[in-house]
Amino acid sequence: MPKITPFLWFDNQAEEAASYYVSIFKNSRILAVQRQGEGGHGEPGSAQTVSFELDGQEFTALNGGPQFRFNEAVSFVVPCKNQEEVDEYWERLSDGGEEGPCGWLKDRFGLSWQVVPDRLIELLGDPDPARSQRAFQAMMQMRKIDIRALEDAVAGG
């Protein structure tokens, strides 16, 4: 079966972004960098495309110019086992970016991420509709997801 590779369009920060993402996620690496030649779109020697891998998922970053920008219509979900992972990914990905509601953020390059603890999914899927609704309402008040606060909200009904 063919692999699907997300292709990310940057103005001129493809190599910087790929290096940044590789520094955040375990088991990640730069696979290849294609450089601009003379008469290309960017400065000769600068990155044209960067292929990289984040924990087994391949990506390609392109320095395509300022025509297109990222928006929230596309985001990447980072599933987290515990609050420690939530805190680490939230801190690193939001550094220089902007926090959003309900576990969403934009990184310094404008790419949207959702930092989601497994426990949130469990609580939202609680078979008791009242408990599930309390989890949802608590989540709606958060930026970074706080597992303890979610559990307290669900139990407090």
Side-chain angles (χ1 to χ4, degrees), residues 42-91:
E43 292 291 320
S46 67
Q48 180 176 11
T49 61
V50 181
S51 298
F52 61 103
E53 188 177 84
L54 302 180
D55 200 21
Q57 172 65 53
E58 289 186 32
F59 292 80
T60 300
L62 166 75
N63 280 331
Q67 296 92 324
F68 302 108
R69 298 279 180 231
F70 297 120
N71 67 48
E72 293 82 354
V74 174
S75 63
F76 294 108
V77 177
V78 181
C80 299
K81 293 181 182 105
N82 53 46
Q83 190 67 49
E84 183 180 4
E85 284 188 3
V86 169
D87 294 346
E88 179 182 346
Y89 286 118
W90 186 268
E91 181 180 326

Side-chain angles (χ1 to χ4, degrees), residues 13-147:
Q13 316 95 329
E15 191 166 19
E16 178 187 351
S19 295
Y20 174 65
Y21 300 139
V22 165
S23 76
I24 292 173
F25 296 94
K26 296 174 180 76
N27 304 314
S28 299
R29 62 194 171 120
I30 302 289
L31 300 171
V33 179
Q34 303 299 317
R35 303 276 174 198
Q36 297 280 358
E38 292 293 327
H41 177 69
E43 292 291 320
S46 67
Q48 180 176 11
T49 61
V50 181
S51 298
F52 61 103
E53 188 177 84
L54 302 180
D55 200 21
Q57 172 65 53
E58 289 186 32
F59 292 80
T60 300
L62 166 75
N63 280 331
Q67 296 92 324
F68 302 108
R69 298 279 180 231
F70 297 120
N71 67 48
E72 293 82 354
V74 174
S75 63
F76 294 108
V77 177
V78 181
C80 299
K81 293 181 182 105
N82 53 46
Q83 190 67 49
E84 183 180 4
E85 284 188 3
V86 169
D87 294 346
E88 179 182 346
Y89 286 118
W90 186 268
E91 181 180 326
R92 300 209 45 210
L93 287 167
S94 66
D95 181 29
E98 127 187 14
E99 296 182 359
C102 307
W104 289 60
L105 62 87
K106 285 186 185 180
D107 68 26
R108 63 180 72 167
F109 304 102
L111 190 59
S112 291
W113 298 83
Q114 297 176 58
V115 180
V116 180
D118 297 338
R119 186 68 175 133
L120 172 63
I121 304 306
E122 293 168 11
L123 293 170
L124 291 174
D126 192 298
D128 178 341
R131 289 173 51 88
S132 175
Q133 185 61 29
R134 288 193 299 271
F136 178 78
Q137 291 303 322
M139 176 198 68
M140 293 298 291
Q141 303 304 312
M142 296 179 183
R143 289 200 174 280
K144 177 178 73 171
I145 301 299
D146 181 331
I147 297 170

